[in-house]
């Protein structure tokens, strides 16, 4: 009997990964909080398109409104529940699906930020795994339509990193890796926490600054002061992660120590950082994507700033590590979100922190 899979949050990442699972014949049920998205998937199907190299396709998929999940009580329970909501929705989403898990069922955080502890607080550490999606550049462009602003990562860039919280290789972790590998390259990692923090650093460097300035990634990187500020943000997050004991992986295809030293003003590190980031921005199509928090701001949605830059500030404070750039950016994004100010690059220029 095939396993039953729930995708809680059929947005950009959940929709993308889940569509490939459906295409491969897996038993997938999407559960989403946006009514128009559910109805679009039920009607025309879930459409996935890429900027290049990959043909567009559509799958017919089972989709439920939140209010319909209770019908699962009369069906086979879920074996795997991928939690794909925004970080601030993690607790209720996990609580909602927990009662519909099979006895050996478990949850997988396929999200930004550090949400495994929240999930484990509801279903237990023994039923919690993590899956990091790195540089996936996807967007829910319209109800029932996920766009990816690139082709596949493939061998050039490993997109998914799947792991148990204890770092050991298990059958269920290998199964989750098999499922994510249906959509792009996957690594079964013994270093989930290092991968998680490294992805958090990448998000800290890109998401909030897009939300505060209104710019896409390329335009941020081509502005000398904004580019320097991204290094400062990353440096604070890297030093915090190191102090917490995480073994950091590459961040945006750079050694984290290089980013940290660039953010701290080391001239040689700044030169290498600038060369790398400018080369990325100048690639055909490079940096044309708007990070997820920038997308949220444009769409008038709540951002994850507290779970990204704000989280770094909160974790650094007890360690005595100063994080003025992340604290300032968190406050700026919150002000833009509340409508007190409009997104503008001058907000970062005026901080004079770099």
């Amino acid at each position: 009997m095939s396993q039953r899979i729930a995708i809680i949050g059929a947005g950009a990442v959940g929709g993308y990964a889940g569509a490939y699972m459906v295409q491969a014949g897996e038993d997938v049920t999407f559960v989403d909080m946006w009514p128009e998205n559910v109805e679009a998937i039920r009607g025309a199907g879930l459409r996935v398109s890429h900027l290049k190299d990959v043909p567009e396709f559509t799958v017919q998929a089972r989709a439920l409104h939140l209010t319909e999940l209770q019908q699962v009580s009369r069906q086979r329970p879920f074996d795997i529940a991928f939690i794909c909501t925004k970080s601030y929705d993690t607790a209720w989403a996990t609580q909602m699906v927990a009662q519909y898990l099979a006895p050996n069922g478990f949850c997988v955080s396929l999200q930004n930020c550090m949400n495994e502890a929240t999930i484990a607080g509801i279903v237990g550490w023994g039923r919690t795994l993590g899956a990091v999606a790195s540089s996936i550049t996807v967007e829910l462009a319209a109800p029932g339509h996920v766009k990816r602003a690139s082709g596949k990562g493939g061998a050039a860039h490993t997109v998914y990193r799947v792991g148990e919280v204890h770092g050991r290789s298990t059958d269920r972790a290998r199964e989750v890796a098999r499922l994510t590998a249906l959509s792009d390259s996957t690594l079964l990692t013994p270093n989930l926490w290092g991968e998680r923090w490294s992805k958090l650093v990448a998000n800290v460097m890109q998401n909030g600054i897009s939300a505060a300035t209104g710019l896409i990634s390329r335009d941020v990187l081509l502005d000398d002061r904004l580019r320097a500020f991204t290094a400062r943000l990353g440096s604070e997050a890297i030093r915090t992660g190191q102090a917490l004991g995480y073994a950091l992986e590459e961040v945006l295809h750079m050694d984290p120590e290089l980013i940290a030293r660039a953010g701290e003003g080391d001239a040689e590190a700044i030169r290498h950082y600038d060369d790398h980031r400018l080369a990325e921005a100048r690639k055909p199509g490079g940096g044309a994507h708007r990070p997820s928090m920038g997308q949220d701001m444009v769409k008038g949605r709540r951002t994850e700033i507290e779970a990204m830059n704000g989280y770094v500030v909160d974790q650094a404070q007890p360690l005595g590590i100063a994080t003025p750039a992340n604290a300032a950016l968190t406050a700026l994004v919150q002000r833009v979100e509340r409508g007190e100010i409009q997104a503008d690059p001058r907000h970062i220029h005026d901080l004079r922190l770099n």
Side-chain angles (χ1 to χ4, degrees), residues 4-319:
R4 290 201 73 198
I5 300 165
I7 306 286
I8 310 300
V13 175
Y16 185 80
Y20 276 94
M21 295 180 204
V22 174
Q23 187 184 57
E26 300 292 337
D27 183 351
V28 176
T29 299
F30 292 98
V31 183
D32 199 55
M33 58 287 294
W34 188 14
E36 289 85 351
N37 192 36
V38 172
E39 292 302 322
I41 294 171
R42 285 175 167 176
L46 179 54
R47 181 160 57 114
V48 175
S49 55
H50 294 71
L51 180 66
K52 59 180 182 178
D53 302 333
V54 183
E56 181 175 287
F57 68 92
T58 300
V59 295
Q60 298 301 315
R62 184 185 305 114
L64 298 177
H65 297 286
L66 293 180
T67 54
E68 297 173 324
L69 184 60
Q70 58 186 295
Q71 69 186 240
V72 178
S73 65
R74 300 189 299 275
Q75 303 167 5
R76 272 184 57 215
F78 295 119
D79 300 291
I80 306 174
F82 286 88
I83 309 299
C84 302
T85 63
K86 295 292 186 180
S87 295
Y88 48 75
D89 286 329
T90 302
W92 72 257
T94 306
Q95 187 72 59
M96 179 183 68
V97 76
Q99 59 191 311
Y100 303 114
L101 287 177
N104 292 323
F106 56 90
C107 293
V108 182
S109 172
L110 182 52
Q111 303 165 279
N112 284 325
C113 310
M114 311 283 284
N115 295 311
E116 282 82 0
T118 300
I119 293 171
I122 295 166
V123 298
W125 282 109
R127 305 178 84 183
T128 304
L129 283 82
V132 180
S134 171
S135 299
I136 194 168
T137 64
V138 288
E139 176 185 5
L140 185 61
H145 184 197
V146 176
K147 288 184 176 180
R148 187 169 179 185
S150 66
K152 294 293 189 73
H157 169 68
T158 302
V159 171
Y160 298 105
R161 296 94 191 279
V162 172
E164 293 271 10
V165 296
H166 48 59
R168 296 189 294 275
S169 177
T170 63
D171 288 342
R172 67 182 189 177
R174 286 188 287 273
E175 175 61 10
V176 172
R178 182 189 71 82
L179 291 170
T180 57
L182 295 171
S183 56
D184 213 330
S185 49
T186 296
L187 168 71
L188 184 64
T189 179
N191 184 29
L192 175 65
W193 299 114
E195 293 280 10
R196 266 283 178 235
W197 195 272
S198 300
K199 174 63 187 296
L200 180 69
V201 174
N203 281 332
V204 157
M205 295 171 65
Q206 299 177 104
N207 271 275
I209 199 164
S210 175
T213 63
L215 300 178
I216 62 173
S217 296
R218 177 197 292 126
D219 294 339
V220 169
L221 295 178
L222 293 178
D223 182 304
D224 291 345
R225 284 182 289 178
L226 297 182
R227 187 176 64 254
F229 190 68
T230 65
R232 179 72 180 271
L233 293 167
S235 180
E236 293 176 0
I238 288 163
R239 294 306 186 211
T240 301
Q242 290 170 337
L244 289 167
Y246 296 123
L248 300 187
E249 305 285 349
E250 277 192 344
V251 175
L252 302 174
H253 302 293
M254 289 177 284
D255 184 332
E257 189 61 29
L258 171 69
I259 300 172
R261 289 189 287 107
E264 292 163 350
D266 180 283
E268 183 68 7
I270 291 171
R271 183 176 67 80
H272 285 292
Y273 180 82
D274 283 348
D275 287 347
H276 184 279
R277 301 301 279 146
L278 288 170
E280 286 292 315
R282 290 166 179 159
K283 285 180 180 177
H289 181 64
R290 190 181 302 276
S292 60
M293 196 181 298
Q295 295 174 31
D296 290 338
M297 196 68 83
V298 169
K299 296 173 181 178
R301 297 182 58 184
R302 180 181 173 185
T303 73
E304 292 180 291
I305 192 65
E306 291 87 2
M308 289 186 187
N309 303 78
Y311 185 78
V312 170
V313 175
D314 292 343
Q315 294 295 300
Q317 194 275 329
L319 302 171

